[in-house]
Amino acid sequence: MAAEDPSASTETHASPIKAARQSGKKTSSKAAGSASKTSEKLARLGLRKDMDFVLHLPMRYEDETAIIPMHDAALRGGSTVQVEGVVTASDVQYRPRRQLVVTISDDSGQVVLRFLNFYGSQLKQLAMGVRVRARGELRHGFLGAEMVHPGYKIVNEGAPLPTALTPVYHSGEGVPQALLRKAIANAMTRVNWRDTLSPARLAALGLQGFEASVRTLHNPPPDVDQYSLMEHEHPAWERMKFDELLAQQLSLKRAQITRRSKGANALPVTGELSNAFLLNLPFSLTGAQEKVLAEIRADLRETFPMQRLLQGDVGSGKTIVAALAATQAIDNGFQAALMAPTEILAEQHFRKIAAWLEPLGVKTAWLTGSLRKKEKEAANLLIASGEAQLVIGTHALIQDNVLFKKLGLVIVDEQHRFGVSQRLNLANKAEAGKVPHQLMMSATPIPRTLAMTYFADLEVSVIDELPPGRTPVVTRVIDQNRRDEVISRVHAAAQEGKQVYWVCPLIEESETLQLQTATDTHAMLAAALPGIQVGLVHGRLKPAEKQAVMDDFIHNRTQVLVATTVIEVGVDVPNASLMVIEHAERFGLSQLHQLRGRVGRGAAASVCLLLYQGPLGGTAKQRLATMRESNDGFEIARKDLELRGPGEFLGARQSGEAMLRFANLETDQWLVEKARNLAADLLKNDPLTVAAHLERWLGNKEEFLRV
Ligand code: ADP
Ligand code: MG
């Protein structure tokens, strides 16, 4: 990838960091070595070209413009203040552990500075009589007002104070703020400041100029409205947010246009197979399923590839829709592929869809990583010869040696579990010059602002209705101490013929420990539930073993299934109506919602018990409360986004994450809409501006989006 080689870049590539170093001391070979180490560290922060540095905007500001008299400062305990005084006591204490304790005083009072780690040089530096300016969080300690590990410097009496706010930059370990500031200042002398948006456009949008905005943010003038600067509401911030949103829109829309320009095979006919399938269904489609199916069918008739995201809450019935889309490809003489993120889910899809379609004469193939070599070869043969009309599997489908004869449609289930490149790989498996139609499915509903930004390159269909006859799952949050009561409840439910999932705690640090816990829990429940069959499923089982366990549960030979999170996605056993999740506080919101979606799939009223171990932190409390109060996937996703931010929320689609650093999708909706409109206009009418804007804001990052 050319973009990774900085020398191939068109922008001037004077290294801002070397310049910053050289302006100091003469470069010895040792200094040069550490400069290149520093460059590496900076590159890790995404800082390579001058413009990267210029757009590395402060993460926050510190107010060092005023000195607070110590007496007044003491009244503001808990806040960050700057004080200045002369050292009146300084010594090393050993209780409770070795520390340097320095007292400084001014006319109004005194403050203790406490250093738990310190160098000998600091001890010398902070000698009696020396004047110190210290900045930190003031607390009320044993000796009165104190600061632990304050920032400080030695000053002369009357040393000038900064007149403006001091920017603080996001920096990695070993990258001092001063160095970053200098590098940014150097870069600012060299970049091309030309505004990518004309004065007329800016006026129409009510935005201020690029250069003025950047300069304000790096070097806030003394009279700036500090509040709006700190809160990211200043017009300078608005311009930056708008610019990055515009870059994101341009880039996604352009990627979409590029993909559209590659042809796809039109799949117009919904023939015999589709019709037979619909006739054979034991139920009729919901209105929402009908609606999204119509949207998908219309897309498939086009000669450019469908790029559609199908969203629907857990249990809303996406699988049928996927199968119907597949029949349309098959009716047209093409192959369809369905990729799922786990073996359990892929297998379940396979069984279900094969059971629907094989009686109608459709030839299916099954491909996962755990197949024996012979089986894989056989599957590959079926796929390559075109004999297999529908192929279902896991990541194994995107291996190089899997060649399709005539791939017309790719369906990706739980798309957020896959990386962008994995989806891309599957999309590349059509014949040369053609791209297959793509249907991506997700049970994590995406809030509207997110859909408008990160998924601006996809068409979105939503199944916003559950099949009839479902009763909402009742959720209770219960202290782990009451586990015995919960076990009795499980016992009673099982005796009434209900089936139960018991989900073991997530132990991120250790898979072994997680496995151990699952095994222990299984033994404990088997002993505590006489007369009840208890199964155990976890990620370490061989696929055949896993399937045997699942089969026992599906056919009600076991009533209680102890499981790790392998059951998170897609598992469908309608008779299961009670779920217990241990240490629910360790799970994320969407994960809890997915897990809970395993019950409430049949007609029986279902219950989900979230056991937690107190004391709970703030977000954990909010997560559990959200689960108790809502069954609505959209509402839960909105809350999840609020608690985690878009980067984590979107997971694998990191591509977008790097693109939005400043805009806040909760509060900047109005900017999103403006950016979207301008992007459409520019793509139609002004390719030069598009190119300039993308180069400035995305440089080499855009590669990620060529999906
Ligand atoms: P998800 O959207 O979570 O993938 P599934 O496709 O697994 O949901 O469907 C959940 C359950 O609802 C399945 O048992 C499926 O057979 C059933 N189902 C799907 N559509 C309908 C419908 N229109 N009427 C009744 N049941 C349906
Ligand atoms: Mg599903």
Side-chain angles (χ1 to χ4, degrees), residues 281-287 289 310-322 345 348-349 352 356 413-414 441-443 463 465-470 569-574 594 597-598 600-602:
L281 274 185
F283 44 73
S284 50
L285 296 182
T286 62
Q289 285 170 321
L310 173 58
Q311 292 186 52
D313 209 344
V314 281
S316 62
K318 295 184 290 294
T319 316
I320 296 269
V321 174
L345 187 50
Q348 185 181 292
H349 277 318
K352 200 177 215 174
W356 286 331
D413 196 17
E414 306 295 339
M441 305 201 287
S442 171
I463 304 185
E465 174 187 1
L466 294 179
R470 305 272 172 87
V569 288
V571 174
D572 185 27
V573 180
Q594 285 280 332
R598 298 313 112 213
R601 301 176 85 85

Side-chain angles (χ1 to χ4, degrees), residues 51 55 192-194 196 210 692-698:
M51 193 49 90
L55 293 177
N192 175 2
W193 286 104
R194 209 175 73 84
T196 53
F210 176 73
H693 196 80
L694 285 175
E695 168 65 27
R696 169 164 294 169
W697 279 91
L698 294 179

